[in-house]
Amino acid sequence: QNFVTAPVGFPHIMKSSAFLLLLLPLASSFTFLPTNRPSSTSLASSTYTLDGRAISNPVEPTNNFILVKLDEAADETDGGIILTKKAKQKVTSGTVVAVGPGRSHPDSGILMKVFVEAGEKVIYGQYDGTEIDYQGSKHTLIRDSDVLVKYTGEALTTDNAQTINDKMLVKVESNEQETAGGLLIAPTAQKSSRASVGEVVAVGPGRAAMNGEVIAMEVSRGDMVKFRDFAGNDVKIGDDDYTVITMNDCLARY
């Protein structure tokens, strides 16, 4: 038979099973100290990071802001030349992570929808956005008006390129001209070094009016347009040059 030593005041020798039964009423009087192991709540509160600091909730854009996870910068050129950190071009493209609810019209107060969704890829202006470090990766917060082109798929093509609001994507005509003798005039020798004529490749839905209704665009895909000199933002698709302009920059169509 097994015997254990009991506390003072109890019989000195008793069976272990009877001893345990005697201790049960005393169990409620014990105080258990908390351990240092973090609770599930504290673990959940540190699952997000912003600029190196732990935050309790995910980043959610407000107004017409869009949270974009930036693409990785190219490490080498197409010719195989390794680029240094200083020589790498600033990345202005990425994948949409979250979208704000939209902005209120300053006169009517009606909410103006953002025509971008999470998961789509976007290209924006070089000087637009506020970069942040979110979840250990580079992100940026841009307005919907900063978006030049959006698309789905691995690479931007003329087939999947889309513009939003009152923007249009135009394939710019070559700026080279010929003299009467057939000689090509270089762009640097012309008065304007940037072409302002081209074919419309993609058209946005239009600008939202004060009542929230979208005003249809006056141009369509396939139209040729003349736009203001030096207007728009350049976009490269393959080896061809494109520009994104607004309807206000478009002077005429033909």
Side-chain angles (χ1 to χ4, degrees):
Q1 293 181 344
N2 297 325
F3 296 94
V4 296
T5 302
V8 178
F10 287 83
H12 293 290
I13 300 174
M14 59 183 65
K15 291 183 179 181
S16 58
S17 59
F19 180 54
L20 292 174
L21 289 174
L22 290 172
L23 289 179
L24 286 176
L26 300 176
S28 60
S29 64
F30 287 97
T31 301
F32 296 94
L33 296 175
T35 65
N36 292 328
R37 183 178 179 181
S39 65
S40 59
T41 303
S42 62
L43 286 174
S45 64
S46 60
T47 54
Y48 303 99
T49 58
L50 175 62
D51 292 334
R53 300 180 62 181
I55 57 177
S56 57
N57 296 303
V59 172
E60 297 180 358
T62 58
N63 300 319
N64 61 332
F65 281 97
I66 303 169
L67 177 63
V68 178
K69 183 178 181 181
L70 297 181
D71 291 336
E72 294 291 335
D75 293 325
E76 60 181 53
T77 65
D78 294 337
I81 299 175
I82 304 298
L83 297 173
T84 63
K85 186 176 181 180
K86 192 173 183 180
K88 291 181 181 179
Q89 291 185 343
K90 179 183 177 182
V91 176
T92 57
S93 61
T95 303
V96 176
V97 176
V99 181
R103 69 178 181 88
S104 299
H105 193 279
D107 297 323
S108 65
I110 293 177
L111 191 67
M112 320 299 282
K113 181 184 176 182
V114 177
F115 291 99
V116 177
E117 297 180 357
E120 293 181 322
K121 296 182 179 180
V122 294
I123 296 176
Y124 56 93
Q126 183 178 1
Y127 303 104
D128 297 326
T130 299
E131 288 193 8
I132 60 174
D133 188 293
Y134 179 52
Q135 297 294 80
S137 301
K138 288 185 177 181
H139 289 66
T140 189
L141 285 161
I142 59 173
R143 296 182 185 273
D144 64 337
S145 55
D146 298 329
V147 175
L148 302 178
V149 178
K150 70 172 186 174
Y151 66 98
T152 56
E154 293 300 321
L156 175 63
T157 67
T158 55
D159 293 328
N160 63 12
Q162 301 178 58
T163 52
I164 66 172
N165 301 334
D166 62 339
K167 289 186 172 73
M168 67 184 82
L169 178 66
V170 179
K171 186 179 185 303
V172 181
E173 282 193 347
S174 173
N175 208 28
E176 291 182 338
Q177 297 180 3
E178 291 186 5
T179 64
L183 296 175
L184 289 176
I185 303 176
T188 53
Q190 301 173 33
K191 291 182 179 179
S192 173
S193 60
R194 192 171 187 270
S196 57
V197 173
E199 179 184 356
V200 177
V201 175
V203 181
R207 179 176 57 86
M210 185 173 65
N211 60 359
E213 294 183 2
V214 176
I215 302 174
M217 298 282 279
E218 299 178 31
V219 298
S220 303
R221 183 186 176 105
D223 287 347
M224 297 295 295
V225 292
K226 165 67 178 177
F227 51 93
R228 299 179 189 277
D229 294 338
F230 305 105
N233 291 272
D234 294 334
V235 175
K236 196 85 170 178
I237 302 180
D239 296 326
D240 296 324
D241 294 323
Y242 294 78
T243 190
V244 177
I245 62 172
T246 64
M247 192 66 226
N248 287 335
D249 294 324
C250 184
L251 303 177
R253 66 175 184 172
Y254 56 95

